[in-house]
């Protein structure tokens, strides 16, 4: 099949590349000329395991194409995915400016029947807006061309996005007619061995499914983090509590690990957008508002523990930070806990020596670019030199089994603040560390 994907960000590039790897002819479109030229040269704008190899293979085979000319792509393709960003607006709602701009272009340049697929994360009702915008442009042309609008939300996880795309646990499709449904079945038939994973529904329900899924996962995280705060007060160990409740099959272990708060491009934005959508319809989403509040507070917990141990005035103190990205296996720092923790510490007078396998460039050029109290190092152990304590924020694999003897020998004080509870009190005590973690009384 011939597929156009508008937007070569995280979702668009992964989606387009994976479609091409299944034998489809794919045209990825972006208005950023430099990005398109770089992609043609094999320069990938994001870090995602396995993606660069697939881009290289399929671009060289001719299955994957990159262009800034949306008209050219639309002429060649009958299916067009909208995969542009939907940043959070000032009021917390999803900004549909880019989505509707693409819809306008589709209406201007389409010259045959098009299946227009919303892949971007968009609120309920967006398909109707996309439909109206395309029709508006067709009316200007006095055109009687027809089109269908389909909702196909993405469920990619950063760090495993290629695998998620090639072996999805479910494909949600929102349609309003059988022809559109059959087109999507044909496109995805190689991805879904179990037909139960191909889930057809109405468009509004498909749009809602994405927000409901991310909000549910965010709720589990905030719930466990709130339990961790209570555990610290009453003297319980949240790590043991987690095992106790996770063994219940109705609950399970996924997303109940305590930590220093969720971040990334999805959970914070989608929870806020759903709260805003509810308010627009006159409903106050009390639970989701609480999920946001707990997450906001949780990002300050580690810095509070540091100040409790070293004092409110951290002038003259240096802390080694391991991990900057919001999760392992990505360079994404959007809404990362590291931003809050580091800014809290430096605001109290501290200096930071930071190391992350992939995200230091993002930190320096964007998320922490105005913080002059950070030194970035090329090796994790270099961050420990002259540091008063080590703070683990992101649980990259290379941090999981470090040389504790070397850590102790390099640090000025044998102190570890573990924002993800990956080391454990027994291990820390074995090597003679003061150990501070989430959900266990200091």
């Amino acid at each position: 099949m011939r597929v156009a994907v508008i937007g070569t960000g995280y979702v668009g590039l992964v989606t387009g590349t994976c479609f091409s790897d299944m034998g489809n002819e794919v045209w990825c479109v972006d208005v950023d000329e430099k990005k398109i030229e770089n992609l043609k040269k094999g320069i990938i704008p994001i870090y995602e395991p396995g993606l660069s190899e697939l881009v290289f293979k399929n671009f060289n085979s001719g299955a994957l194409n990159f262009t800034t000319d949306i008209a050219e792509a639309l002429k060649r393709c009958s299916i067009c995915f909208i995969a542009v960003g939907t940043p959070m607006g000032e009021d917390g709602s999803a900004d549909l400016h880019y989505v509707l701009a693409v819809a306008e272009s589709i209406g201007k340049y389409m010259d045959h029947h098009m299946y227009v697929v919303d892949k971007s994360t968009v609120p309920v009702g967006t398909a109707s807006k996309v439909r109206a915008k395309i029709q508006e442009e067709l009316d200007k042309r006095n055109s009687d061309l027809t089109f269908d609008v389909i909702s196909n939300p993405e469920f990619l996880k950063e760090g495993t996005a290629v695998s998620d795309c090639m072996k999805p646990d479910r494909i949600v499709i929102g349609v309003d007619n059988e022809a559109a449904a059959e087109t999507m079945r044909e496109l995805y038939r190689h991805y879904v061995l179990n037909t139960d994973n191909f889930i057809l529904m109405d468009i509004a329900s498909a749009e809602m499914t994405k927000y409901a899924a991310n909000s549910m996962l965010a709720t589990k995280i905030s719930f466990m983090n709130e339990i961790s705060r209570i555990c610290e007060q009453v003297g319980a160990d949240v790590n043991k509590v987690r095992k106790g409740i996770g063994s219940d099959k109705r609950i399970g272990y996924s997303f109940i690990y305590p930590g220093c708060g969720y971040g990334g491009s999805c959970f914070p934005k989608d929870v806020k957008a759903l709260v805003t959508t509810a308010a627009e319809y006159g409903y106050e989403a009390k639970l989701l508002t609480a999920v946001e509040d707990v997450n906001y507070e949780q990002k300050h917990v580690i810095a509070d523990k540091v100040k409790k141990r070293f004092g409110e005035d951290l002038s003259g103190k240096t802390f080694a930070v391991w991990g900057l990205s919001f999760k392992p296996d990505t360079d994404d720092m959007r809404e990362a806990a590291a931003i809050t923790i580091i800014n809290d510490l430096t605001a109290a007078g501290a200096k930071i020596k930071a190391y992350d396998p992939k995200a230091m460039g993002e930190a320096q050029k964007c998320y922490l670019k105005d913080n002059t109290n950070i030194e970035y190092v090329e090796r994790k152990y270099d961050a420990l030199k002259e540091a008063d304590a080590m703070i683990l924020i992101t649980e990259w694999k290379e941090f999981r089994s470090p040389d504790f003897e070397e850590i102790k020998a390099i640090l000025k004080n044998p102190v570890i603040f573990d924002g993800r509870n990956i080391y454990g009190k027994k291990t820390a005590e074995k090597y003679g560390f003061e150990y501070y973690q989430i959900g266990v009384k200091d």
Side-chain angles (χ1 to χ4, degrees):
M1 303 181 82
R2 293 182 174 182
V3 180
V5 180
I6 315 303
T8 58
Y10 181 81
V11 173
L13 185 57
V14 172
T15 300
T17 301
C18 290
F19 277 143
S20 70
D21 200 54
M22 283 294 186
N24 298 290
E25 180 182 317
V26 177
W27 289 78
C28 287
V29 183
D30 204 291
V31 296
D32 188 332
E33 294 183 6
K34 183 177 181 180
K35 180 189 285 189
I36 290 298
E37 287 306 311
N38 282 340
L39 284 168
K40 290 178 179 178
K41 297 174 183 176
I43 301 172
I44 311 301
I46 58 174
Y47 172 73
E48 182 62 39
L51 180 59
S52 60
E53 295 86 348
L54 281 184
V55 171
F56 181 80
K57 181 182 84 170
N58 289 290
F59 177 74
N60 285 328
S61 73
L64 181 61
N65 305 274
F66 298 106
T67 182
T68 58
D69 189 346
I70 189 171
E72 177 187 14
L74 292 175
K75 285 180 181 179
R76 294 175 176 271
C77 304
S78 60
I79 304 173
C80 178
F81 281 81
I82 300 177
V84 293
T86 53
M88 185 167 57
E90 292 183 3
D91 62 352
S93 64
D95 183 350
L96 298 178
H97 172 78
Y98 299 112
V99 170
L100 296 179
V102 173
E104 181 178 337
S105 294
I106 293 171
K108 285 181 178 179
Y109 299 116
M110 61 181 281
D111 61 3
H112 55 272
H113 183 88
M114 294 293 301
Y115 292 99
V116 180
V117 187
D118 284 332
K119 196 69 170 175
S120 301
T121 300
V122 294
V124 176
T126 299
S128 297
K129 294 178 181 179
V130 168
R131 189 189 309 276
K133 180 59 70 173
I134 295 174
Q135 190 61 55
E136 178 184 331
E137 293 303 316
L138 289 174
D139 290 344
K140 290 178 182 178
R141 296 165 51 189
N142 294 317
S143 171
D144 59 359
L145 288 171
T146 58
F147 63 95
D148 288 290
V149 177
I150 300 166
S151 175
N152 174 211
E154 56 86 14
F155 298 99
L156 306 180
K157 300 184 293 292
E158 293 190 46
T160 60
V162 172
S163 175
D164 292 340
C165 196
M166 300 297 276
K167 299 177 182 179
D169 53 10
R170 83 282 207 193
I171 295 170
V172 172
I173 303 293
V175 294
D176 58 9
N177 65 78
E178 182 55 34
E182 187 56 37
T183 297
M184 297 306 285
R185 282 195 193 95
E186 175 66 16
L187 179 63
Y188 278 114
R189 67 187 179 92
H190 294 296
Y191 295 86
V192 186
L193 298 178
N194 182 351
T195 55
D196 291 341
N197 293 347
F198 188 85
I199 306 170
L200 281 174
M201 59 184 71
D202 61 275
I203 293 173
S205 295
E207 291 173 330
M208 185 65 179
T209 296
K210 169 65 174 182
Y211 282 101
N214 280 350
S215 295
M216 180 62 184
L217 297 176
T219 298
K220 292 185 73 173
I221 294 170
S222 281
F223 171 81
M224 204 62 202
N225 281 334
E226 182 148 84
I227 292 297
S228 78
R229 302 292 293 276
I230 299 172
C231 283
E232 290 196 29
Q233 296 301 314
V234 302
D237 184 334
V238 73
N239 302 297
K240 296 174 181 177
V241 173
R242 176 184 61 79
K243 293 178 181 178
I245 67 173
S247 59
D248 186 329
K249 292 180 180 179
R250 296 170 300 173
I251 299 173
Y253 290 105
S254 296
F255 289 85
I256 63 167
Y257 288 81
C260 40
Y262 61 76
S265 63
C266 294
F267 289 5
K269 177 172 68 72
D270 293 353
V271 172
K272 286 182 184 295
L274 190 51
V275 169
T276 301
T277 297
E280 290 173 352
Y281 285 84
Y283 181 77
E284 181 183 359
K286 296 178 182 178
L287 177 58
L288 296 181
T289 299
V291 168
E292 288 186 287
D293 292 343
V294 170
N295 192 59
Y296 173 83
E297 294 172 2
Q298 195 70 15
K299 291 182 179 181
H300 296 279
V301 168
I302 287 294
D304 289 344
K305 286 178 177 286
V306 172
K307 287 186 277 190
K308 182 179 178 182
R309 167 61 175 80
F310 288 96
E312 290 292 326
D313 184 358
L314 298 177
S315 299
K317 301 295 183 183
T318 299
F319 298 100
V321 167
W322 282 10
L324 297 170
S325 57
F326 87 94
K327 61 179 285 188
D329 296 319
T330 181
D331 60 354
D332 194 344
M333 281 193 65
R334 285 174 286 187
E335 303 283 343
I339 300 170
T340 300
I341 294 168
I342 289 173
N343 284 336
D344 281 356
L345 295 176
T346 56
K351 301 287 187 182
I352 300 295
K353 297 182 74 173
Y355 170 76
D356 186 283
K358 296 295 179 181
M360 290 193 292
E362 290 294 303
Q364 289 173 288
K365 73 181 182 182
C366 185
Y367 299 99
L368 291 166
K369 63 183 176 64
D370 296 324
N371 194 325
T372 58
N373 293 306
I374 307 171
E375 177 187 350
Y376 298 92
V377 299
E378 295 301 317
R379 295 178 64 253
K380 61 179 181 283
Y381 293 115
D382 289 342
L384 306 174
K385 295 176 182 178
E386 301 302 317
D388 291 277
M390 186 190 90
I391 303 169
L392 181 130
I393 299 178
T394 313
E395 65 277 30
W396 286 88
K397 287 181 181 178
E398 69 173 89
F399 299 154
R400 289 183 175 273
S401 299
D403 186 333
F404 288 103
E405 294 288 5
E406 185 169 0
I407 293 173
K408 186 176 180 181
I410 299 174
L411 284 174
K412 292 168 67 175
N413 306 295
V415 181
I416 293 176
F417 294 90
D418 187 348
R420 299 297 175 183
N421 291 11
I422 66 171
Y423 297 137
K425 187 175 181 180
K426 286 186 179 180
T427 298
E429 289 181 343
K430 175 183 176 181
Y431 291 97
F433 284 96
E434 282 183 53
Y435 182 65
Y436 301 89
Q437 57 184 316
I438 302 291
V440 180
K441 194 171 185 178
D442 297 337

